[in-house]
Amino acid sequence: MMGKRAQQKRAAKHAKQAKQRKAAASRSAATFAAVAANLPQLTSMDDILFGPMATPWGDFTETHATVDDAIAAAEKAGGVLSCFSFDDSGEYERSLRQDADGWLYEVALYLRGNLRELVMTSWLDADDQDQAAERLRCALAAYVPDGLRHPGIEAVQRPSTTSVPRIGWAQSVPVAGLRTWEDVRLAEKEMALFALAPLADTPGKTCEPLPEETFALFRAHGLSARACAGCGAPVTDRHPHWQGVLVSVENEFGPVCDRSRLGEESLQRVGHVLDAAQARPAWKLTGKEQKVQCQNCDVHVTEQHPDWPGVWTEAGGYCRPTCAVPGSGADDATEYDLVDCVYPHIPVGVDSPAAAAITAAKKTGYFFQPRLPSWAQ
C-alpha cells in the first residue's frame, strides 16, 4: 500500500505535469497561429501541393504579376527574359522573346543524365566547338522519333552560364492574347514539347547506360561520342582540368570507372577505358612511391600510381585521383551548366588549371568528399 505522504507527492507531480502539458500546448497553438497568419492563402491544388515551397518560376510570376509586366522587363533586358527551373519531368527554361513577328512565349526542354553527358563530352572532344554545337542540334533533332516530331518543335542552343553550350528542344507560341499566367499555363497544355520529356532523361533505370544506337547516331553527325567500355558512361579526355585523362562529367566519379565499384571487394579505383580488353583489376602501390600532401584536402598523394601514371592520386585507401566536388551553392541555371564536377588533387606548392576553379567553388558551397578513416578502409 502507498503511504498518504507518497500519494500526495504523486498527485502533486501529476498535477504539475498536466499544467506543463497544457502550457506547452498553448504555446504550440500560439506559434502555429502566428506562422499560419504569415503563410499565403492557398487557393488551388497546385498551391496546396507546392505553395509553401518557393520555385524559380513562382518567384518569376510574383516579380512580374502579368505577362505585360514581364514583356516590359524583357524590353529593358534587351529583348529576352528567361527563367530556368526544373521539376520531376525535366529541366526547363521559360522565356519571353522578341523576334521579327513580335513577342513569343517559349519553353525549352534541356537534357539531363547520360544524354546530357553525351552532349557535353562530345562538345569538349571537338576541335571546332562552334561547329560541334551545330552538329549537336542536328543530332538532337534526329534523336526524336518520327511519331513525336512536330513542326513547332526545334532543336535550339540557348545562352549558358559557362562556355558549355545549353542545347535542347524548344517550342513557342505568340504572346498576343496571353495576359495572365493562367493564360500561359493553358497555352502550355497544348504544347507537343512536353511529350519529349522522357527522351530528355536517361532511358530506363537511372544508372542504365545509353544504348549503342545513341552513340552511333551522334557519331553519324560528325561527333566523337565515346563511351567507356567498362561502365558505358560518355567520356572525354579534354576536360579543362583533366587533360589527357578519360573522365565523365555528369557525376562526382569523374575519372573513376563505375565498374571498379561493382562486384569487387577491392577499394582500389580504376580509370575509364575505350577498349574492353583494357579493363582489368586495379594495380596496387608498392609503398615506395614518393608522396606529398594535397593543398586542398590534406591527404598524401603520388603521381607514381600504376593505374594513374602522371596523375596525382591518393596514396592510400581508395587511391582516388579526385580531390573534391562543388556543393549546391549555385542556382539551378548555373549548376545545370557546371562541368567542373570533380577536381584533381593539387600538391602543396604546385599550380594547376583547377586551382582558380576550386577557389571559386569554395565561395559557393564547396565541400570535400567524405573520406573513411584508415581503420575503416
Side-chain angles (χ1 to χ4, degrees):
M1 291 287 293
M2 184 181 294
K4 185 176 181 179
R5 186 174 179 81
Q7 289 177 341
Q8 290 174 336
K9 289 179 65 177
R10 185 176 182 181
K13 180 180 179 182
H14 287 176
K16 183 178 180 181
Q17 290 174 338
K19 186 177 180 180
Q20 289 173 336
R21 287 195 296 270
K22 184 177 180 180
S26 178
R27 287 194 301 271
S28 296
T31 301
F32 177 81
V35 172
N38 291 317
L39 289 175
Q41 294 299 310
L42 307 180
T43 58
S44 69
M45 183 55 70
D46 283 348
D47 287 338
I48 292 170
L49 292 175
F50 306 112
M53 297 182 291
T55 64
W57 181 241
D59 291 342
F60 182 91
T61 55
E62 279 193 12
T63 302
H64 312 288
T66 67
V67 177
D68 286 340
D69 290 338
I71 290 176
E75 288 175 337
K76 293 179 180 178
V80 179
L81 188 67
S82 297
C83 175
F84 186 96
S85 61
F86 71 92
D87 57 32
D88 288 343
S89 68
E91 315 275 348
Y92 297 97
E93 186 172 18
R94 291 170 167 84
S95 305
L96 288 165
R97 297 178 176 276
Q98 189 174 32
D99 69 1
D101 298 323
W103 285 95
L104 300 173
Y105 172 73
E106 179 190 86
V107 181
L109 169 64
Y110 296 120
L111 315 174
R112 59 183 179 182
N114 292 339
L115 188 59
R116 175 172 176 261
E117 185 165 22
L118 178 56
V119 167
M120 295 173 76
T121 55
S122 296
W123 180 81
L124 286 168
D125 266 352
D127 292 325
D128 186 334
Q129 292 180 331
D130 290 335
Q131 185 183 58
E134 178 60 27
R135 290 175 174 176
L136 285 166
R137 284 202 320 106
C138 294
L140 282 186
Y143 183 75
V144 178
D146 290 341
L148 291 179
R149 293 181 185 177
H150 183 279
I153 299 175
E154 60 176 335
V156 299
Q157 179 181 353
R158 293 294 179 239
S160 167
T161 61
T162 70
S163 60
V164 180
R166 187 184 286 182
I167 296 174
W169 301 289
Q171 186 175 3
S172 60
V173 294
V175 168
L178 303 179
R179 290 290 174 262
T180 69
W181 296 117
E182 178 63 16
D183 294 336
V184 170
R185 186 183 70 82
L186 292 174
E188 275 193 355
K189 281 189 172 183
E190 303 300 319
M191 286 187 174
L193 174 77
F194 292 96
L196 304 186
L199 289 179
D201 209 342
T202 299
K205 298 178 181 179
T206 302
C207 297
E208 184 177 323
L210 291 170
E212 170 55 30
E213 290 81 1
T214 303
F215 287 91
L217 172 65
F218 275 56
R219 286 194 291 268
H221 283 82
L223 300 160
S224 66
R226 295 187 289 174
C228 172
C231 65
V235 292
T236 177
D237 58 0
R238 295 189 180 185
H239 188 286
H241 304 321
W242 296 96
Q243 290 293 311
V245 179
L246 289 170
V247 298
S248 59
V249 297
E250 185 64 18
N251 58 55
E252 65 185 55
F253 301 123
V256 176
C257 176
D258 247 3
R259 78 179 189 277
S260 61
R261 302 188 310 117
L262 305 174
E264 294 183 11
E265 294 182 1
S266 173
L267 296 175
Q268 305 299 310
R269 296 296 182 245
V270 294
H272 296 287
V273 292
L274 296 177
D275 184 346
Q278 298 171 352
R280 51 167 178 71
W283 284 328
K284 294 184 179 180
L285 291 165
T286 65
K288 299 179 181 179
E289 295 82 6
Q290 180 184 12
K291 302 170 187 176
V292 298
Q293 197 169 39
C294 175
Q295 62 183 264
N296 290 301
C297 66
D298 297 331
V299 302
H300 286 87
V301 293
T302 179
E303 58 178 349
Q304 297 174 311
H305 194 289
D307 282 316
W308 305 97
V311 178
W312 290 104
T313 306
E314 187 176 349
Y318 288 100
C319 294
R320 291 177 295 196
T322 56
C323 174
V325 297
S328 55
D331 60 27
D332 292 340
T334 304
E335 192 157 304
Y336 180 80
D337 293 328
L338 193 67
V339 69
D340 303 322
C341 55
V342 290
Y343 295 115
H345 291 290
I346 305 176
V348 173
V350 175
D351 194 14
S352 164
I358 292 176
T359 299
K362 285 181 178 179
K363 299 176 181 177
T364 56
Y366 173 93
F367 64 90
F368 291 118
Q369 292 185 13
R371 298 183 182 279
L372 294 175
S374 58
W375 57 266
Q377 297 181 355

